[in-house]
Every structure is written in structure tokens, then in C-alpha cells.
Amino acid sequence: MNVYDGWRIVAMLDARGMTRTEDVSDADIIILNTCAVRAKATDKVYSALGRIRLVKKPNALMGIVGCVARESGADAFKRVPDLNFVLGPQSYHKLPEILNDPNTRLFNIELSGLEKFDEMPQMEKSPLVTYVPIQEGCNHCCTYCIVPYTRGREISRSFVDCIRDVEQAAKNGAVEICFLGQNVNGYKYTDENGKTYRLSDLIRTAAKIDTVKRIRFTSSYPTEMTDDLIDMFATEPKLLPFLNMPIQSGSPNVLKRMNRPYDLNQYMDIVRKLKLARNDIQISSDFIVGFPGETDDDFEQTLQIARTIKYINSYSFKYSPRPHTAAAIMPDQIPENIKSKRLAILDAELNEIQRAFNESCVDKTLTCLCEGPDKTGRHLVYRTPYMQQCIVARPDGEPKQLCDIVITAANKASLRGKIAD
Ligand code: SAH
């Protein structure tokens, strides 16, 4: 979502005739698009601001947008007095106001819902993989998560607006569409005639566009994987057989305290249904270790579920207490050294599963999307349907955007392959 927000900000400034620079000391405006999900991300923003203020041009405008702006509020100006603007994740479309009047301070952390989507200019170029946001915010209120505070309550964009964005992206060169939302499979929009649209309707409609070849979505909440959406994996070949469906923990006790009140049987049932819909489907997860009160036994159950489901491409984090969240004030906070030890054990397990999956791909033919040449220029980097990187010797002439690749070798980080005849 932040990558997408970044694109929109760049497009907005491009439209005003500004250009990008790699050199901070050369910039007239410096914008940090920020993430507040863990304390480390927030800390990095403030240390970056400390470095930037020493090297920037004296008159350059400097500010933050996104979730740290919303998290810090007006305190941001106290911490860094030379900030010119502090704009939350739903008010960055107001950024041009600071260009019109550089002597004011711009502050807006309101949750204005979908306003930004309507206010900003359409993008003129689309990358091969284009993100299309379909909803913002989250109503789940997991006790560790700051997102409901920073991005607000869940709100879905209109079906027509979403499809218009897909069509526009396809016309401008997108081959893969990734639907985005904090709770993307909770997408629900009822139009003026009372017709309700779900994510499955968006996928079905987007798939009808000839030049759209691949479709995926992120991030999903497990119990919102409704049957209509699961069916899409059976009926819509353009929907990639890969799904991020975070479980967070394998312990029912921890899940309860996280306010993720699904039971593990329910989760496993969804996985079974997905595999029935498409037997080559793979699932990835996010994990949090060291949540308050997590015992060795709870952690062991997390390892167990990772082995059982054989998650690929997963993310794992040490629990980080966040302001505005219930878990931050729970008793039994876990010491940092235990969190680090558990994270290392889980990461080793996840890497092993990933390596085994990558090796199982050798000799298979996968249809992959070209991301362009590698650093040496001698190879092409392709992306498999499971988001693995696959390196291929560069053929003469223009590379094909989408082509069949025979996988010839694998390690834990990537694959090698050759273009099928
Ligand atoms: N569904 C959200 C999740 C974003 S955060 C979205 O798409 O916007 C991504 C992951 O960060 C979560 O799935 C969770 O595993 C992790 N996370 C969230 N809050 C955290 C915290 N306080 N400490 C550690 N990890 C956290």
C-alpha cells in the first residue's frame, strides 16, 4: 500500500512539472512516506529526518506523509521543528498546498476516507505489475496492530472506480493487477441499485480484459475467505495460485489475546478448500513471535503450523508494542532476547520450507513475468506465479513479457531457468 501511495505522490508532483533527484542535497522538496507498523520503522523515520536536515538546501521543504504522521500527530513538529508538513495516509493529496504557500505549516491527519482517490490525477503510465487499491482501513482490531488507528475504519471504493482503474492500468501497459487493501478480501460495495459487489466480482471482471494476464490480491484476513472467492481459484486461471493469508500464531491462546478469534480447524478447513479449488495453490503467512504471554509451548505450536501448512514466501516479526493498541499494555511482555531467539528459530524453519519448495520446482515449467535485466545486464529477472525470482540468460532481442520457463536449478532465495522452446 505504501509503494502505491508513493507512486501517487510522485505522479502528483510530476504533473506539477517537478522531477526526481537521487541527491537529497539537490532536492527542493523532501517527502518521507512512512510506515508505523513496528517501532523500528517509526524510529528510522526520525533518524532519517535528523540526517536529512543537515544536508538539505536551506529553503527545501521537508515533511512526512503516511502512518507515522498520523501516529505522531502534532508531536512530529516538536520532535523536528523544521518540518514543513505532516500529512496522514488519507490526506497526502493535500500536499500541493505546501507548494502554493511554502511559508505555512501543513498539518492534516484526518481520516478522510476515499477523498484522496478522487482528488488525485490519474497516472499516465502503469508498471507491468500495477496495484489497484480497492479498500482502506481495517475493522478487525487485532490487539497488536496500529493500522486501524492510522488508516481508520474499513471503507471500500466503488466497483466502477476500481474497474476503471484496472482498465486504465491495462491500457497503459499493466499485465498483472494486484488488488490492494488492509483487509482486501473484506471488500464489499453496494451500489445505488442495491447490488453488492465482492472481491470475486472484481477478479471476474478484471480477468475479462484481454491484456490483463495475471491477477492477485493482498492482504487477506483468514475468515473472510468466502466460498465465492475460493471458487475463483478453481474457475479463473488468471488468478495466480498463490495467496497471502496471515495466521500470525499457531497457538489458540495467543490468537485469542491477539483478537484473531478463528480456531485452527476453521483455518485448516479454508486451506483444504483452497487446495481443492486448485491443487497447485501455495500459501504465505505473516508471523508475530513474542506476543505478550507467549510461552515456549505457544511458540512450538507456531513452528508446528508452519511445518504443517508449508507456508512459502512468509514474513516473520518480533512483536513490537505500538501506541493506541491494547497489547502494548498487556502484562507478561516478552524480553527482547527471547523474541530474538524465537525469531531466529522460526526464520530457519521458514527458510528450510522455502528451499524445499524451490527445489520442488526444478524441471517444472512455470509461466513467468519479466521484470527486466539484472544488475549485470546479462540475465533477465522473471517472477514466477508464486512470486519467486527466476534468473534466465538474456536472449537476443526483446524479452517476452510473459513466457514459459523451465526451472533448471534452485536455492533458498531464487530459481534459475531457461526459456521454453
Ligand atoms: N493486513 C494489514 C497488515 C499490515 S502489517 C495490511 O495489509 O495493511 C503486516 C504484518 O505486520 C502483519 O500481518 C503482522 O504480522 C505484522 N505486525 C503488525 N503489527 C505488528 C506489531 N505490533 N509488532 C510486530 N509485527 C506486527
Side-chain angles (χ1 to χ4, degrees):
M1 188 66 96
N2 271 350
V3 170
Y4 169 83
D5 287 337
W7 289 354
R8 296 307 299 257
I9 292 167
V10 168
M12 194 161 64
L13 297 178
D14 273 350
R16 293 179 68 101
M18 306 191 88
T19 52
R20 264 169 276 189
T21 172
E22 296 297 317
D23 181 0
V24 176
S25 60
D26 187 38
D28 297 306
I29 180 164
I30 298 153
I31 307 158
L32 274 78
N33 183 28
T34 61
C35 170
V37 88
R38 281 168 292 278
K40 201 164 159 190
T42 297
D43 296 344
K44 275 187 186 165
V45 172
Y46 284 101
S47 54
L49 286 169
R51 283 194 309 274
I52 292 166
R53 59 194 289 269
L54 300 177
V55 295
K56 75 179 187 76
K57 284 192 211 166
N59 289 335
L61 296 168
M62 175 174 85
I64 56 177
V65 303
C67 289
V68 173
R70 167 94 182 140
E71 177 199 358
S72 303
D75 256 10
F77 291 118
K78 286 196 200 130
R79 288 182 72 168
V80 187
D82 32 9
L83 281 181
N84 301 90
F85 52 93
V86 172
L87 294 170
Q90 289 176 2
S91 35
Y92 62 74
H93 56 289
K94 306 217 180 270
L95 196 57
E97 287 177 23
I98 195 76
L99 300 172
N100 298 340
D101 191 358
N103 295 320
T104 54
R105 266 185 166 178
L106 190 57
F107 177 67
N108 190 321
I109 57 163
E110 276 164 43
L111 294 174
S112 45
L114 302 176
E115 199 182 289
K116 69 177 178 193
F117 294 110
D118 302 328
E119 298 257 326
M120 283 184 306
Q122 275 292 331
M123 292 196 293
E124 281 173 12
K125 275 206 315 241
S126 294
L128 228 44
V129 179
T130 291
Y131 297 120
V132 175
I134 61 171
Q135 64 86 233
E136 271 221 15
C138 188
N139 288 351
H140 281 294
C141 294
C142 304
T143 54
Y144 51 79
C145 191
I146 196 173
V147 168
Y149 176 79
T150 54
R151 297 243 180 200
R153 307 293 284 171
E154 234 167 278
I155 174 159
S156 292
R157 297 179 69 199
S158 84
F159 180 77
V160 171
D161 283 359
C162 297
I163 292 300
R164 190 205 52 212
D165 280 7
V166 175
E167 284 168 347
Q168 177 96 9
K171 209 172 73 197
N172 292 342
V175 171
E176 181 176 306
I177 297 293
C178 178
F179 290 115
L180 280 187
Q182 272 80 51
N183 182 30
V184 73
N185 54 346
Y187 176 83
K188 196 172 189 178
Y189 180 79
T190 305
D191 71 10
E192 50 295 343
N193 302 321
K195 182 168 165 39
T196 296
Y197 296 88
R198 303 297 313 256
L199 176 56
S200 54
D201 297 301
L202 286 169
I203 292 168
R204 198 178 302 106
T205 310
K208 291 204 180 100
I209 302 172
D210 228 26
T211 51
V212 171
K213 304 293 186 197
R214 315 213 295 188
I215 300 172
R216 59 190 169 100
F217 55 89
T218 198
S219 313
S220 296
Y221 190 84
T223 50
E224 308 226 43
M225 286 306 296
T226 46
D227 288 344
D228 59 312
L229 185 53
I230 293 174
D231 275 353
M232 281 291 110
F233 287 97
T235 56
E236 188 38 73
K238 289 183 181 178
L239 184 60
L240 293 179
F242 176 59
L243 172 70
N244 175 253
M245 189 169 77
I247 194 163
Q248 308 297 357
S249 165
S251 154
N253 291 335
V254 172
L255 286 172
K256 207 175 287 157
R257 288 201 302 282
M258 286 178 164
N259 192 29
R260 293 181 68 94
Y262 42 83
D263 71 43
L264 292 178
N265 290 332
Q266 214 177 342
Y267 188 97
M268 295 300 290
D269 266 353
I270 297 167
V271 173
R272 260 189 294 275
K273 278 195 209 164
L274 284 162
K275 297 240 174 208
L276 272 177
R278 213 179 147 159
N279 65 5
D280 61 349
I281 203 166
Q282 296 294 333
I283 297 166
S284 89
S285 182
D286 298 351
F287 295 94
I288 296 177
V289 300
F291 185 80
E294 185 188 67
T295 61
D296 283 340
D297 188 47
D298 290 324
F299 175 62
E300 190 50 48
Q301 294 179 60
T302 297
L303 290 175
Q304 197 55 48
I305 199 94
R307 286 182 204 121
T308 309
I309 304 214
K310 296 198 173 63
Y311 288 110
I312 63 160
N313 295 2
S314 293
Y315 296 94
S316 40
F317 311 102
K318 287 190 271 186
Y319 168 70
S320 165
R322 306 304 292 125
H324 316 285
T325 64
I329 49 171
M330 282 182 185
D332 304 323
Q333 298 283 328
I334 304 294
E336 204 52 34
N337 60 338
I338 296 183
K339 287 187 203 170
S340 300
K341 221 160 82 191
R342 288 181 184 163
L343 184 66
I345 295 169
L346 177 60
D347 280 348
E349 190 72 44
L350 293 173
N351 282 339
E352 194 43 43
I353 299 169
Q354 182 75 42
R355 190 188 53 73
F357 174 65
N358 287 354
E359 284 174 358
S360 78
C361 293
V362 173
D363 293 336
K364 289 201 174 120
T365 302
L366 299 173
T367 307
C368 301
L369 184 68
C370 189
E371 290 190 336
D374 70 353
K375 274 192 228 113
T376 67
R378 286 183 286 124
H379 304 100
L380 293 174
V381 180
Y382 278 84
R383 196 60 68 175
T384 74
Y386 303 106
M387 298 300 124
Q388 299 144 294
Q389 211 180 49
C390 181
I391 313 289
V392 173
R394 192 172 187 167
D396 296 334
E398 266 303 291
K400 274 201 205 153
Q401 283 181 339
L402 203 65
C403 70
D404 283 348
I405 290 180
V406 183
I407 309 304
T408 53
N411 61 31
K412 83 175 192 322
S414 65
L415 305 175
R416 290 201 160 249
K418 62 177 202 297
I419 295 174
D421 306 320

Short mmCIF file of all heavy atoms in Angstrom, two decimals, residues 378 380 393-400 419:
data_model
loop_
_atom_site.label_atom_id
_atom_site.label_comp_id
_atom_site.label_asym_id
_atom_site.label_seq_id
_atom_site.Cartn_x
_atom_site.Cartn_y
_atom_site.Cartn_z
N ARG A 378 23.29 -9.16 -18.12
CA ARG A 378 23.45 -10.40 -18.88
C ARG A 378 22.30 -11.37 -18.66
O ARG A 378 22.14 -12.35 -19.38
CB ARG A 378 24.79 -11.07 -18.54
CG ARG A 378 25.98 -10.34 -19.15
CD ARG A 378 27.29 -11.04 -18.88
NE ARG A 378 27.69 -10.86 -17.47
CZ ARG A 378 27.95 -11.85 -16.64
NH1 ARG A 378 27.83 -13.10 -17.03
NH2 ARG A 378 28.32 -11.60 -15.40
N LEU A 380 17.99 -11.97 -17.36
CA LEU A 380 16.67 -11.36 -17.14
C LEU A 380 16.12 -11.91 -15.83
O LEU A 380 16.35 -13.07 -15.49
CB LEU A 380 15.73 -11.71 -18.28
CG LEU A 380 16.08 -11.13 -19.64
CD1 LEU A 380 15.13 -11.70 -20.71
CD2 LEU A 380 15.99 -9.60 -19.62
N ALA A 393 19.20 -16.58 -18.67
CA ALA A 393 20.19 -15.94 -19.56
C ALA A 393 19.45 -15.06 -20.55
O ALA A 393 18.39 -15.42 -21.06
CB ALA A 393 20.98 -17.01 -20.30
N ARG A 394 20.01 -13.89 -20.82
CA ARG A 394 19.29 -12.93 -21.67
C ARG A 394 19.39 -13.34 -23.14
O ARG A 394 20.48 -13.48 -23.69
CB ARG A 394 19.95 -11.56 -21.48
CG ARG A 394 19.13 -10.45 -22.07
CD ARG A 394 19.73 -9.11 -21.69
NE ARG A 394 18.86 -8.04 -22.12
CZ ARG A 394 18.98 -6.80 -21.71
NH1 ARG A 394 19.93 -6.47 -20.86
NH2 ARG A 394 18.15 -5.87 -22.15
N PRO A 395 18.24 -13.54 -23.76
CA PRO A 395 18.29 -13.90 -25.19
C PRO A 395 18.54 -12.66 -26.04
O PRO A 395 18.44 -11.54 -25.54
CB PRO A 395 16.89 -14.46 -25.45
CG PRO A 395 16.02 -13.78 -24.44
CD PRO A 395 16.88 -13.37 -23.28
N ASP A 396 18.87 -12.87 -27.33
CA ASP A 396 18.98 -11.72 -28.24
C ASP A 396 17.58 -11.14 -28.44
O ASP A 396 16.59 -11.86 -28.37
CB ASP A 396 19.54 -12.17 -29.59
CG ASP A 396 20.96 -12.70 -29.42
OD1 ASP A 396 21.63 -12.27 -28.46
OD2 ASP A 396 21.38 -13.56 -30.23
N GLY A 397 17.53 -9.86 -28.68
CA GLY A 397 16.23 -9.24 -28.99
C GLY A 397 15.42 -8.91 -27.75
O GLY A 397 15.87 -9.09 -26.62
N GLU A 398 14.22 -8.43 -28.02
CA GLU A 398 13.32 -8.01 -26.93
C GLU A 398 12.88 -9.21 -26.10
O GLU A 398 12.44 -10.22 -26.66
CB GLU A 398 12.07 -7.37 -27.54
CG GLU A 398 12.13 -5.85 -27.68
CD GLU A 398 12.38 -5.13 -26.36
OE1 GLU A 398 11.48 -5.14 -25.50
OE2 GLU A 398 13.48 -4.56 -26.20
N PRO A 399 12.97 -9.12 -24.77
CA PRO A 399 12.46 -10.25 -23.97
C PRO A 399 10.93 -10.29 -24.02
O PRO A 399 10.28 -9.26 -24.15
CB PRO A 399 12.93 -9.91 -22.55
CG PRO A 399 13.20 -8.45 -22.55
CD PRO A 399 13.53 -8.04 -23.96
N LYS A 400 10.40 -11.51 -23.96
CA LYS A 400 8.94 -11.65 -23.88
C LYS A 400 8.50 -11.27 -22.47
O LYS A 400 9.13 -11.66 -21.50
CB LYS A 400 8.56 -13.10 -24.14
CG LYS A 400 8.41 -13.44 -25.58
CD LYS A 400 7.56 -14.71 -25.64
CE LYS A 400 7.82 -15.49 -26.89
NZ LYS A 400 7.55 -16.91 -26.73
N ILE A 419 14.27 -20.29 -21.04
CA ILE A 419 13.01 -20.04 -21.74
C ILE A 419 12.65 -21.28 -22.56
O ILE A 419 13.48 -21.81 -23.28
CB ILE A 419 13.15 -18.77 -22.61
CG1 ILE A 419 13.36 -17.57 -21.68
CG2 ILE A 419 11.93 -18.58 -23.51
CD1 ILE A 419 13.65 -16.26 -22.34
#
